[in-house]
Amino acid sequence: MPNEQDVRLSTRRLDADPATADPSPAGKPTPRGGATDSGGQSRRGPAPARPAAPSSPATQAPPATRAPAPATARRTRPAAPTTTEAVATETTTATAEATESPVAAAKEARPRRMGGISPENTVFVSLCFEGPDVYSTAGGLGTRVTELTEALARNGYETHLIFVGDPTKPAVEELVDGRLKLKRWSQWISKYYLNGVYAGEEQKLYDYSESVPYHIYQDIAAPAIERGKIVVVIGEDWHTVEAICRTSDLLHWHNLRHRALLMWNSNSLMSLHRINWGRLNYCATVTTVSRYMKHRLWPYGVNPLVIPNGIPERYLEPVDEDQVAALRTIMRRGDPDRLLLFKIGRFDPDKRWLMAVEAVARLKYSGHPVSMIIRGGMEPHGAEVLARARHLGLHVRDIEAHRPSPEECLDLLRDAGEADVYHLRFFVPADFVRVCSAAADAVLANSGHEPFGLVGLEVMAAGGLAFTGSTGEEYAISFENAVSLETEDSDEIVGYLLHLLRNPDEVAKIRAAGKRTAAEYTWDEVIENLLGKLGYLARKQSIDFE
């Protein structure tokens, strides 16, 4: 008779097919392969095998599962160590019965730690639609998961990132000495939708939700738990909710859920109406990226933990001063009083693009010549923004290229001639984004709704002057390390900017303080925050770190 925890699954049960159930006494599931194309190649990516579940989980005992842990070993403490190094490398001695198991032997050979999450006892799995490929990047979400997983791998953790990847790239790719495994999912669908990760969104969502949980269970979680490890699965945004809940169900069914920590992270308010919040809150711990977002999620009946975003440490490295000086010279067009502004982000009304172009017009017609470099996305709001700029009498010049280098970006702007707004219609390399941030008199990261505000933090890391919104940008203290805008009035931008231009010492102080603030938000610092939260969740699940 199963206990309540074994049978109390979420409202969406695993679909059952009694005809495929394995009648063997061991009750091991029979793998069900994914569909293949005409060449016999799996269409779903790294070929997850899907086991069939019994039709009535509420009335049947769970099938026998792979034993997740080796035999318990008695430990004997050696003589008191005489050095700190000896304490850190203290090992234990197991009984003969336990050491007969290779898993137990490997476990005993590992250095003993003081407990808690560590690379020796934890495997991370990140689930996200977006990822590191250009095909898979539509905003800050792709940047977040790319940098977080890379930082985890650099810190020694085995890490799997499962995302909807470029259909022309390998299905599986290993980086960071093999510790980071990129798994490009739904490539068989993506090859029909070449315009990016969200083209064919519903088809990809169905495939992702159906197949990813079985891959996690069979190919990641079960082997890791058998080796004595725990598995941390972190889903990002609404696309991964179903996959997270089904992963929880599957691990419950196979009696492995108690060795897994499942988290779901909200990076935006998009499509929250599609989420079954009661089910999600039961299956996983809900987290988000700022206190502002925590409060926005309260109406849904959840109380998330806050784990902020971060930036790579390399963003703190000095920006190429020669390129910064060259960009300023180019954009001033011979006028030393000409201002340089920069704005990058999706063409979304929340980013307050209209406020930005209106501020440029107000500066221009009040006798302050200005040039603004902008980089948006493919969103329809972009046409409205550019039409508004032209209606205000601003000269907009489109610049097109194919993946230029920073040096080529400078040449493109030099050859573009006079304009008020320079619209970059190409993928801008990260190094040139940093050059623009450092060179500009102000970077307009002036969102009206921003869950975290990663752009503002990146500007501060480059030594730039960030004009942020005042929602999720909790790292920003106005006129201390940034400038926080509290209204939609473009005159607020103009007034603050002209005040700072009259006080260059204030500008230097803000830029220096911003750089110090950014150093507190590197991914290594954020991971320490994450590990602390995981320690709390592990205690709630009575997970014992040996």
Side-chain angles (χ1 to χ4, degrees), residues 484-519:
S484 292
L485 302 170
E486 301 183 51
T487 73
E488 297 182 3
D489 186 354
S490 58
D491 268 334
E492 188 178 11
I493 295 176
V494 175
Y496 293 161
L497 181 57
L498 295 181
H499 165 76
L500 290 172
L501 291 177
R502 291 190 290 266
N503 296 275
D505 291 343
E506 185 80 0
V507 174
K509 182 202 78 171
I510 293 174
R511 288 177 182 264
K515 187 108 177 170
R516 291 193 297 270
T517 300

Side-chain angles (χ1 to χ4, degrees), residues 70-107:
T72 303
R74 292 200 315 256
R75 305 181 186 277
T76 60
R77 185 176 297 276
T82 58
T83 67
T84 304
E85 181 179 359
V87 173
T89 58
E90 176 188 356
T91 57
T92 58
T93 305
T95 60
E97 294 82 358
T99 54
E100 289 176 2
S101 164
V103 175
K107 184 177 175 182

Side-chain angles (χ1 to χ4, degrees), residues 289-291 308-309 445 450-460 466-469 471-478 480-482 484 513-514 517-518 520-521:
V289 292
S290 65
R291 289 191 296 274
N309 276 321
E450 190 63 68
F452 179 77
L454 196 57
V455 171
L457 199 61
E458 292 170 351
V459 171
M460 294 160 72
F467 276 46
T468 72
T471 51
E473 301 94 334
E474 294 159 4
Y475 52 81
I477 304 173
S478 197
E480 289 294 331
N481 58 11
S484 292
T517 300
E520 298 175 2
Y521 283 86

Side-chain angles (χ1 to χ4, degrees), residues 381-518:
H381 184 57
E384 182 182 357
V385 171
L386 298 175
R388 179 62 174 163
R390 293 185 173 100
H391 177 75
L392 291 170
L394 299 177
H395 181 194
V396 179
R397 189 176 294 277
D398 292 335
I399 302 177
E400 298 189 7
H402 180 68
R403 300 188 67 81
S405 67
E407 293 78 11
E408 291 170 334
C409 290
L410 289 172
D411 292 337
L412 289 167
L413 288 166
R414 182 182 293 108
D415 297 339
E418 287 278 350
D420 300 310
V421 177
Y422 295 83
H423 179 205
L424 306 184
R425 302 188 61 179
F426 53 83
F427 185 82
V428 182
D431 287 345
F432 189 67
V433 171
R434 300 187 69 227
V435 169
C436 292
S437 297
D441 293 293
V443 180
L444 303 184
N446 56 312
S447 298
H449 158 70
E450 190 63 68
F452 179 77
L454 196 57
V455 171
L457 199 61
E458 292 170 351
V459 171
M460 294 160 72
L465 179 58
F467 276 46
T468 72
S470 54
T471 51
E473 301 94 334
E474 294 159 4
Y475 52 81
I477 304 173
S478 197
F479 292 97
E480 289 294 331
N481 58 11
V483 176
S484 292
L485 302 170
E486 301 183 51
T487 73
E488 297 182 3
D489 186 354
S490 58
D491 268 334
E492 188 178 11
I493 295 176
V494 175
Y496 293 161
L497 181 57
L498 295 181
H499 165 76
L500 290 172
L501 291 177
R502 291 190 290 266
N503 296 275
D505 291 343
E506 185 80 0
V507 174
K509 182 202 78 171
I510 293 174
R511 288 177 182 264
K515 187 108 177 170
R516 291 193 297 270
T517 300

Side-chain angles (χ1 to χ4, degrees), residues 2 42 70 115 137 168 278-279 289 296 440 478 497 505 513 534:
S42 170
T137 303
T168 65
R279 179 185 182 216
V289 292
R296 293 297 301 267
S478 197
L497 181 57
D505 291 343
L534 289 173

Side-chain angles (χ1 to χ4, degrees), residues 342-372:
F342 178 53
K343 184 171 176 64
I344 186 170
R346 289 179 294 110
F347 277 131
D348 187 299
D350 282 342
K351 305 299 182 183
R352 287 180 173 166
W353 281 93
L354 296 177
M355 179 185 180
V357 297
E358 287 170 4
V360 173
R362 287 177 182 268
L363 284 166
K364 176 179 178 178
Y365 295 120
S366 61
H368 300 281
V370 60
S371 294
M372 182 164 72

